[in-house]
Amino acid sequence: MKNPILKKGSKIGIIAPAGRIFEHELDFAKDWAKKQGWTLEIPKDLFTEFNLGYWYAGDTQQRLKITQEALDNPDLDAIWCARGGYGSVKIIDDLDFSTFLNNPKWLIGYSDITVFHNYLNNKNIPTLHAVTAKPLNTKYTEESYTSLIKVLKGESLSYTLPNHSLNIKGKAKGILMGGNLSIIYSQLGSCTALQSEEIILFIEDWYENWYHVDRMLEALKRSGLFRKVEGIIVGSFTKMDVEEENPDFNLNYDPTANQVILEQVKDLNIPVVFNFPAGHTGDNRALIMGSKVELSVNDDKTDLSFYI
């Protein structure tokens, strides 16, 4: 069963399964949706705050309730996460996905929403790694939104990118899975760990130490995940390590992080592409997670095609 194609009059439900959200932070999303002929369904309790060492969008039961209602709502054509942060893992095991799995719809977001991507992709339900309703503290590129619109309207999606000096050439087919590296790492050993075979792995992150990137990749390797990976797409790694000690701190694609990653994957004999425009950056293009993809990394360009 395919996810609904959004048309004029379609409704998108907003959820906040993790960090708190303020009402004004959805102003852009409201205007953007209206221009597409869509409306946002915003729960009245979405803007509740709960502090337990972190500002959540309500306590665990409230976030669970709002998310469950969106999953079960037959009037919604898509679910758009207001933001990431932290907290999705605290509700994922108590959600009932039975109605959603029988009538799936696009679930959209990134960062902490990787928990949902991994869970649903493991069940062969495609999701959208794309901008959240709340914009990141930067200006998004036009492609960040046009790529999202293409998928929601049922159009085909593909990317062609220029070569990067660290790329490892090759061709691979598989299921696109992954998301935020810290979240992937934190799910190891759980039901939301990546479980498919023939994976094209996408990773991105920000505000991490370089050695921690290496530690997380070492854990993925030791878990056996790399034996299932046919190709790797490296998105943005930015705001890395210590700002005072990293002259590249504000670059979207941290060169030291890329070198750390290369050292971990160079002997896998699979294609790897660096600096893919997705992640915690203004150029955050939509990726259909759980989709069959074909990755081709050549001397002059990289092609990524989706087949769902």
Side-chain angles (χ1 to χ4, degrees):
M1 184 177 296
K2 290 187 176 181
N3 293 347
I5 294 173
L6 270 64
K7 303 174 182 178
K8 296 290 184 182
S10 287
K11 297 179 180 179
I12 302 174
I14 301 293
I15 63 172
R20 67 178 175 182
I21 186 78
F22 298 108
E23 190 168 1
H24 72 271
E25 293 176 323
L26 296 182
D27 288 346
F28 176 86
K30 292 177 186 177
D31 292 340
W32 178 81
K34 185 177 181 180
K35 290 177 181 177
Q36 316 310 318
W38 308 328
T39 58
L40 300 186
E41 297 289 311
I42 302 175
K44 61 181 178 63
D45 295 330
L46 189 76
F47 308 110
T48 303
E49 303 175 21
F50 177 72
N51 185 10
L52 187 61
Y54 178 78
W55 283 105
Y56 299 92
D59 63 23
T60 300
Q61 288 304 312
Q62 183 170 9
R63 301 196 321 281
L64 179 67
K65 177 178 180 292
I66 288 176
T67 304
Q68 187 67 63
E69 289 173 349
L71 293 173
D72 294 342
N73 189 342
D75 296 328
L76 298 180
D77 297 299
I79 298 173
W80 198 5
C81 296
R83 57 162 295 180
Y86 172 69
S88 297
V89 70
K90 297 177 73 65
I91 67 172
I92 192 72
D93 292 335
D94 292 320
L95 288 167
D96 181 355
F97 283 90
S98 56
T99 297
F100 181 89
L101 294 175
N102 287 327
N103 294 282
K105 61 198 79 171
W106 287 115
L107 188 140
I108 310 160
Y110 73 110
S111 193
D112 193 66
I113 310 308
T114 295
V115 174
F116 285 88
H117 294 312
N118 292 177
Y119 180 91
L120 292 170
N121 297 163
N122 282 342
K123 297 184 178 298
N124 300 315
I125 301 295
T127 56
L128 265 171
H129 184 284
V131 292
T132 48
K134 172 193 172 181
L136 195 67
N137 296 324
T138 186
K139 181 176 175 59
Y140 280 114
T141 62
E142 181 179 353
E143 290 85 356
S144 298
Y145 288 99
T146 56
S147 57
L148 174 58
I149 292 170
K150 286 183 69 173
V151 179
L152 294 178
K153 289 187 174 181
E155 301 174 16
S156 61
L157 185 67
S158 64
Y159 295 107
T160 297
L161 304 170
N163 181 48
H164 186 276
S165 60
L166 298 184
N167 284 358
I168 299 175
K169 292 186 294 183
K171 293 184 179 181
K173 295 180 180 179
I175 306 298
L176 182 63
M177 303 186 80
N180 182 262
L181 178 58
S182 296
I183 302 300
I184 299 168
Y185 165 74
S186 72
Q187 305 304 296
L188 290 175
S190 74
C191 66
T192 45
L194 300 180
Q195 298 170 4
S196 294
E197 303 289 335
E198 298 183 337
I199 294 171
I200 305 296
L201 179 66
F202 168 71
I203 56 173
E204 64 83 28
D205 221 320
W206 74 337
Y207 286 107
E208 284 293 351
N209 290 309
W210 291 310
Y211 81 89
H212 194 207
V213 172
D214 188 75
R215 178 166 62 190
M216 291 188 288
L217 292 172
E218 196 70 43
L220 298 191
K221 179 174 66 178
R222 296 182 69 233
S223 75
L225 178 64
F226 282 175
R227 292 196 293 271
K228 304 177 182 180
V229 173
E230 303 293 329
I232 297 176
I233 299 172
V234 181
S236 69
F237 280 74
T238 188
K239 307 290 190 296
M240 303 301 291
D241 213 70
V242 180
E243 183 171 6
E244 294 76 15
E245 300 177 5
N246 180 9
D248 301 316
F249 186 80
N250 290 311
L251 293 182
N252 289 330
Y253 308 100
D254 184 89
T256 302
N258 281 349
Q259 289 290 343
V260 169
I261 295 167
L262 177 65
E263 189 66 23
Q264 282 282 0
V265 305
K266 65 182 182 181
D267 296 325
L268 295 178
N269 297 315
I270 58 175
V272 181
V273 58
F274 286 85
N275 289 20
F276 191 92
H280 287 79
T281 173
D283 198 0
N284 186 12
R285 305 186 197 185
L287 293 169
I288 307 173
M289 311 304 288
S291 168
K292 294 180 179 179
V293 297
E294 182 172 348
L295 175 66
S296 178
V297 185
N298 301 310
D299 285 325
D300 58 337
K301 65 176 183 176
T302 293
D303 293 309
L304 179 65
S305 300
F306 296 80
Y307 306 94
I308 60 172

